Amino acid sequence: MEFQLKKGYRPYEAYQYLEPGRDFKVIDWADWDWAGRNILPLNPEEEIRCRELLERTPYVSLHDHPDFTTRDMSTCEPLFDAMRTGRDRCGYEALAYSNIDCIFDNMMDGTNIISSPNGWKWIDIIHDLGMRLCDLAHQDFIVHCKTVGDIFAAKKEGKIAMVFVIEGAAPIENEVDRIDILYGLGVRQLGVTYSESNALGSGCKEDHDGGLTMFGKQCVERMNKVGMLIDVSHCGSQTAYDAVVHSTKPIIMSHTGAKGVWNTKRLASDELIQAIAAKGGVVGIEAAPHTTMSKTRMTHDIDSYMEHFEYVKNLVGIDHVGFGVDCMYGDHVGLHHAFAAALSTGDTSKTTVPYQEVPFVKYLENPTEASWNIPRWLIKHGYTDEEIFKVLGGNAIRVLREVWS
């Protein structure tokens, strides 16, 4: 396969308007394709169909982190030093090689340790957001996405619409008006919790789930009023269910899998998936290392990943599933090891079933690679054009039209 850049891309490196070493600390970031450029093979007819489909179909990635880890992941310190600078590097060129038209950028606030080793501080996420928006203002390939119209305009011009997301609501503390502030700064999606409990409700890490708090209900109401998309990916099951019921608009679970395929705290029960679908929402399937595994495969690869996709599709229908692969550029497994405590990966992905750990999830290792291979897998497995249109972006756009309006 010949790798081609999007037509709207002009070469740009993050923060290139500044002088490295003088205006900011030089970091030895990883290569975006450090694990290779792995592509599922198609025959010539399938290649033509894939190319034509992607030209017509808006591709929406519901959850990603298009930033980098450091090249040296042998110890935690180079990565920790990079995260303390508060200047994450967006992979502009890497994204230009992708099929993505709209990416939900969840930044790196779970590892945002500018002022605290525990992350998730209000001042730090505002710093992170402002830094990223300043960088975006100095290039013209990535468009700050605030409306559905921005998605279609970006696709037409060969660019990418970027939706900024705060993955967990802990930084708003007990201030419901901070939802308005985030919206005003261009954030269009907010997670209720990130694994640990906060003032809104219980995270999926907890042994006991108290459900959505009264303050959490107030926050759900405010998000509905301002047009903030609600995500319950890292919530405890009861908290997530309460949010679905209390919301007057569809919500999403942007990056998860099915407990019915691989039973961990991090994944979703049938009942929760059905509740999200009944409200008109969408479940995005994630590919972060060692999440969407299966007993069929006993490891993590594209087939175990798509087993979760097909399970959700069979449970609630093709209209309520999409893709939020939850990838980044660089050694994602290494990042999980380094930030195991902060990201609660050990607690939420714990299983008594032994499995083969992978160094990277081949075919889904980063946002670009995932965007190449998900449509190719769907074509190889007999999905129709209409079905592919829905799961690559149509379902997500339907929800955004209702919530962002």
Side-chain angles (χ1 to χ4, degrees), residues 151-172:
I151 300 173
F152 288 97
K155 181 172 182 61
K156 183 178 180 180
E157 296 173 7
K159 299 182 179 183
I160 294 177
M162 181 172 279
V163 181
F164 283 101
V165 178
I166 306 299
E167 198 167 349
I172 74 169

Side-chain angles (χ1 to χ4, degrees), residues 90-401:
C90 181
Y92 293 101
E93 182 183 70
L95 286 169
Y97 278 114
S98 78
N99 292 317
I100 296 169
D101 299 303
C102 174
I103 188 166
F104 280 60
D105 183 351
N106 287 253
M107 298 186 284
M108 294 296 287
D109 290 319
T111 59
N112 188 335
I113 54 173
I114 302 169
S115 67
S116 165
N118 297 311
W120 298 110
K121 300 300 181 285
W122 175 255
I123 191 172
D124 291 348
I125 69 164
I126 298 302
H127 175 113
D128 190 16
L129 179 62
M131 194 70 74
R132 293 294 300 280
L133 289 173
C134 181
D135 193 31
L136 250 64
H138 287 83
Q139 55 79 62
D140 63 359
F141 171 59
I142 300 290
V143 178
H144 184 189
C145 182
K146 302 174 186 176
T147 69
V148 171
D150 292 335
I151 300 173
F152 288 97
K155 181 172 182 61
K156 183 178 180 180
E157 296 173 7
K159 299 182 179 183
I160 294 177
M162 181 172 279
V163 181
F164 283 101
V165 178
I166 306 299
E167 198 167 349
I172 74 169
E173 299 175 302
N174 63 340
E175 304 285 349
V176 71
D177 284 351
R178 287 185 176 179
I179 293 170
D180 305 53
I181 293 169
L182 291 174
Y183 187 92
L185 293 172
V187 172
R188 289 295 181 269
Q189 180 182 306
L190 179 63
V192 174
T193 68
Y194 185 91
S195 296
E196 294 186 352
S197 297
N198 59 31
L200 285 73
S202 298
C204 61
K205 175 182 178 179
E206 307 296 346
D207 291 329
H208 304 288
D209 184 352
L212 201 64
T213 64
M214 294 303 292
F215 178 71
K217 291 178 180 178
Q218 185 182 3
C219 290
V220 166
E221 291 168 6
R222 182 64 62 86
M223 285 190 271
N224 285 163
K225 288 176 180 177
V226 303
M228 184 79 77
L229 182 61
I230 299 170
D231 185 13
V232 294
S233 295
H234 283 270
C235 294
S237 293
Q238 187 61 51
T239 296
Y241 183 82
D242 289 350
V244 176
V245 171
H246 198 70
S247 176
T248 59
K249 296 183 179 180
I251 73 165
I252 65 168
M253 205 165 189
S254 69
H255 59 302
T256 188
K259 286 183 187 290
V261 178
W262 189 254
N263 188 12
T264 68
K265 286 183 174 182
R266 181 63 187 78
L267 304 184
S269 67
D270 288 4
E271 293 76 16
L272 178 56
I273 293 168
Q274 289 168 326
I276 291 169
K279 205 66 173 273
V282 171
V283 174
I285 308 302
E286 80 159 294
H290 310 117
T291 54
T292 43
M293 296 184 286
S294 76
K295 292 181 180 178
T296 305
R297 308 291 298 177
M298 294 311 298
T299 189
H300 202 182
D301 58 19
I302 192 167
D303 290 313
S304 72
Y305 173 79
M306 297 305 288
E307 195 171 330
H308 285 263
F309 162 75
E310 293 199 310
Y311 183 95
V312 174
K313 182 259 299 182
N314 292 335
L315 181 67
V316 294
I318 198 75
D319 294 322
H320 301 287
V321 63
F323 300 103
V325 289
D326 193 14
C327 292
M328 61 186 307
Y329 297 113
D331 184 355
H332 203 162
V333 174
L335 178 105
H336 278 186
H337 289 165
F339 281 96
L343 300 179
S344 302
T345 52
D347 297 293
T348 59
S349 298
K350 189 181 298 181
T351 174
T352 58
V353 181
Y355 61 87
Q356 176 188 346
E357 186 172 277
V358 295
F360 59 90
V361 185
K362 188 177 180 181
Y363 300 120
L364 300 165
E365 174 53 18
N366 57 60
T368 300
E369 188 172 285
S371 77
W372 294 338
N373 291 312
I374 289 171
R376 299 170 82 84
W377 192 99
L378 293 168
I379 287 170
K380 292 290 286 186
H381 289 78
Y383 282 82
T384 67
D385 288 7
E386 182 183 7
E387 289 171 330
I388 294 173
F389 170 82
K390 287 182 177 182
V391 300
L392 289 189
N395 292 339
I397 289 169
R398 183 196 73 243
V399 171
L400 297 181
R401 287 191 192 281

